[in-house]
Amino acid sequence: MKPGSFYLNGVHSDDIGALISERPIIETPNRKIELKEIPGVNGAIPFDDGSYSNTQMALKIFYITDDEEDLPLQRSRVAASFLFNRYVEFIPYFDSEKIYKVINTEYPRFKGNSTFRHFDVFEVTFSVKPYKYLIGSGTHELLDGATILNPTPYEAEPLITIQGSGDCTLTINGIEYVVKNIVDEVILDSEIQHCYKTVNGLLVNENSKMYSIDFPVFFPGNNVITWTGAGVTAIKIKPKWRSLV
């Protein structure tokens, strides 16, 4: 990617005529650790649920137009591209092999004035999920047991599709995950902790078919995968390798 460019919600920066003017400072996400005072115990006791808070990314961006009269219209187009009330994918030039998940609920702050005749500048602040995802993780289609290498030092929360029918006991690193009464397929989405499948393009809730409390994770290094279930024809795994922002 050329300096300053980016993808936001599937749209390349060239399509809206915008570029990042300088690389932002992104603080490492904070671990969610709560210190609690316990009666009769000296010092506070840490309670750590193993998760992280969002961090922020403040961007300075400029855009150019060939016609000064088009500047207000271009401003509206750019602003609309940067205002969304859900998480979207963001791929910046300075980390072009990673996908950030960002949300912005505030209107971009434009800084332009009469000094700038053919371009305008603005600032936008994203709230960023604590993990960024490696582009090109791909999908593994397994017809038998396999070992999958997690190349990162962080646990991954995969998207696993079990195809076939009946019951399945999926085993990853010796931990069993039981799914019953599968019809055609079921998807285990570890990131959002839900089971579902798609029917005619619509998501169908399948949580009642998950008979295990926890969802699968891939540890750093090798992950050994096996399963039992006569009606299972294949298992597709999108590992979603990730690292902290």
Side-chain angles (χ1 to χ4, degrees), residues 9-128:
N9 198 19
V11 177
H12 194 274
S13 53
D14 285 350
D15 295 334
I16 56 175
L19 287 172
I20 299 170
S21 62
E22 60 185 73
R23 181 168 179 165
I25 296 174
I26 309 172
E27 294 186 359
T28 302
N30 289 323
R31 186 82 172 227
K32 293 180 182 178
I33 299 178
E34 183 179 1
L35 297 178
K36 292 186 177 181
E37 299 287 347
I38 307 297
V41 176
N42 292 315
I45 305 299
F47 288 84
D48 183 0
D49 66 1
S51 61
Y52 295 83
S53 299
N54 276 19
T55 188
Q56 288 192 330
M57 180 191 303
L59 293 176
K60 295 181 179 180
I61 298 175
F62 70 92
Y63 62 95
I64 302 173
T65 179
D66 294 331
D67 188 341
E68 182 181 352
E69 295 182 357
D70 287 341
L71 203 56
L73 179 59
Q74 182 72 350
R75 171 185 286 197
S76 297
R77 291 172 178 166
V78 170
S81 300
F82 280 85
L83 186 61
F84 33 83
N85 59 2
R86 59 183 177 83
Y87 286 100
V88 300
E89 294 186 352
F90 175 65
I91 306 172
Y93 75 95
F94 54 81
D95 199 5
S96 60
E97 297 301 316
K98 303 292 195 312
I99 296 173
Y100 293 72
K101 294 188 176 182
V102 303
I103 187 171
N104 176 43
T105 58
E106 296 182 358
Y107 202 77
R109 301 175 297 280
F110 289 88
K111 303 294 184 179
N113 53 47
S114 58
T115 302
F116 306 100
R117 300 182 62 84
H118 293 287
F119 72 93
D120 205 349
V121 296
F122 67 92
E123 296 178 354
V124 63
T125 300
F126 291 146
S127 180
V128 186

Side-chain angles (χ1 to χ4, degrees), residues 168-206:
C168 175
T169 298
L170 175 66
T171 303
I172 301 177
N173 298 325
I175 302 173
E176 294 185 347
Y177 305 94
V178 179
V179 186
K180 295 186 177 182
N181 303 317
I182 301 169
V183 178
D184 297 328
E185 72 172 25
V186 67
I187 299 170
L188 311 183
D189 193 330
S190 295
E191 183 176 3
I192 63 174
Q193 302 279 294
H194 277 289
C195 289
Y196 55 87
K197 69 178 180 179
T198 57
V199 178
N200 297 324
L202 300 176
L203 295 183
V204 178
N205 190 327
E206 297 276 80

